[in-house]
Amino acid sequence: RPQKKIAGQRRVLDEATRQRRLTRQLEALEKDNFQDDPLSSLPPPGPTARLPAFSETEEPGKRKTRGDHFKQRFRKNFTALLEEENLSERPEPNYLSAAAPPSSLPPRHFCCVCGFPSHYTCSTCGGRYCSCKCLSTHRETRCLKWTL
Amino acid sequence: MATLVLDNGAYTAKIGYSLEKVSVIPNCQFRSKNSRLKTFTANQLDEIKDPSGLFYILPFQKGYLVNWDVQRKVWDHLFGKEMFKVDFADTSIIITEPYFNFTSIQESMNEILFEEYQFQSALRINGGSLSAHHCFHSKPSELCCLVVDSGFSFTHIAPYCRSKKLNHGIRRINVGGKLLTNHLKEIISYRQLHVMDETHVINQVKEDVCYVSQQFYKDMEIAQLRGEDNDLMRDYVLPDFSAIKKGFCKPREEMVFSGKYKTGEQILRLVNERFAVPETLFHPSDIGIQEMGIPEAIVDSVQSLPEEMQPHLYQNIVLTGGNMLFPGFRERLEAELRSLVPAHLPVSVLLPPNPVCHAWEGGKLLAHSPDFDEMVVTREEYEENGHCVCEDKFDI
Ligand SMILES: [Zn+2]
Ligand SMILES: [Zn+2]
């Protein structure tokens, strides 16, 4: 099998890169949408057309909220709000301390191509595979060129 | 005076007056490819004839309310003349929030309820506390109860003793229905068909075909069988939103085990995906999330509490939230707990008839309980004392 020769030429991803890849995969699982907002993919409006800028519009006759300060406070994302809470200085229990600790059970391994239990680890990226067939699919698709 | 109960979830709002029945309504806005200029709010989703490529605008991020513009649009719609026609000056609201909600979100909540909408009075409370109330109300002899709430954003394990929340025992697992749908989308897109833009469709696939396995490795073996011996295999016919409005599983007798279908429908073949996806709730580390799964986290929670409470908690575990609708969830959890918990302690896991609306029903019961008037903050009290009166009274 030509694997040995190829292995000699193949780049091996270091631990930090592998971790970054995993983090990116897990972040992708948090996304609300994969595609772009259909509104933003419209062609640019003509000189007279006015797009309803989402979340900026105040319908006429609606009760207005208080000043800019108030509005600002309603525009923070999760990370900003979490930082603002300054939980590391606050007494427990809190949002951070409530996170379930890591499992004490041994990790289970599944083929990253077909999802069945796997016994082998890709020497390049650390991904798991179950058979030669899945390994070659993995190398052709994701191994060094992960795209989601 | 009327009481409006609103279990304000990150995916759906469970809403209704305490004397009426509950409605489950999307707590978000949508945009669609075919009417790109229009933004659809909450149940206006039903007006979208072709929801392929449906774009979601959600008020919550990681389970916490961050986009108030969207939230207020949804609430304006829910409270307004098209739906609940709320007479704010004469209405009390019970509204839910996540455990350990951030201070600034709690304050924004007070401002919006009392200053913007001007409700006559309000009770802000954790959804799990409403479920616990439900439990203590229907079984007054129980001392403790452990609420397992697995929803869109995450899963919480929350112990209660004599209707008091035990904050030290609360555990959060960052696995919820959104992550499961996205995971299913990702593996289907890699293995057979690009469906990354089809959250709405694949969420339906998840609800239609996924289940919690009782013998995980045995099911993995069956899933590897070829042809008709593989009785876990499902062929799912995707909707095209013209002839096929809603996806469905091909009946067994119409399945083509080798070769192609000649019917021209678009088909997804689902095998190990059916149970490997919900398995993430039991083993988050399967996909690289270094957290305990639900059974282990329950034991971790209970063991952090006084020993005399522990037997009472194990024998009164209540399941709430949309993920409890996966067939087999209760049985699997009970079996795993049985093997983790000391043999002399009874284990009992209860699945309410409607796990999605269980908290709402608890809120409905609470609205009619004699303690209710003592629990709310009135607009007058808020105007006089501001946030502190809410902080004192509400246990978030
Ligand atoms: Zn494989
Ligand atoms: Zn690799």
Side-chain angles (χ1 to χ4, degrees), chain A residues 122 124-125 127 138 143:
Chain A
C122 169
T124 307
C125 71
H138 165 68
C143 185

Side-chain angles (χ1 to χ4, degrees), chain B residues 46-64:
Chain B
D46 302 340
E47 297 167 20
I48 303 176
K49 299 221 163 42
D50 177 0
S52 57
L54 192 68
F55 187 84
Y56 286 77
I57 308 156
L58 300 163
F60 282 71
Q61 199 187 354
K62 291 184 187 269
Y64 290 82

Side-chain angles (χ1 to χ4, degrees), chain A residues 1-10:
Chain A
R1 303 197 313 186
Q3 221 164 297
K4 228 182 190 149
K5 201 168 122 211
I6 296 169
Q9 298 165 347
R10 284 182 84 88

Side-chain angles (χ1 to χ4, degrees), chain A residues 111-116 129-131 134:
Chain A
C111 175
C112 60
V113 177
C114 68
F116 284 108
Y129 65 95
C130 72
S131 61
C134 285

Side-chain angles (χ1 to χ4, degrees), chain B residues 208-232:
Chain B
D208 290 343
V209 308
C210 286
Y211 70 96
V212 173
S213 170
Q214 306 303 313
Q215 330 156 272
F216 182 70
Y217 286 106
K218 182 88 184 76
D219 280 1
M220 276 290 182
E221 277 172 32
I222 297 169
Q224 271 173 306
L225 298 175
R226 288 180 189 282
E228 282 195 68
D229 293 335
N230 185 337
D231 53 21
L232 292 179

Side-chain angles (χ1 to χ4, degrees), chain A residues 57-85:
Chain A
T57 44
E58 281 296 336
E59 282 133 60
K62 264 269 161 66
R63 204 173 29 240
K64 272 247 193 302
T65 52
R66 289 179 283 155
D68 278 347
H69 166 73
F70 190 71
K71 278 242 151 188
Q72 272 308 313
R73 219 152 58 62
F74 290 129
R75 291 280 165 75
K76 287 191 177 147
N77 67 19
F78 177 83
T79 317
L81 287 168
L82 183 61
E83 250 167 55
E84 209 177 74
E85 286 283 290

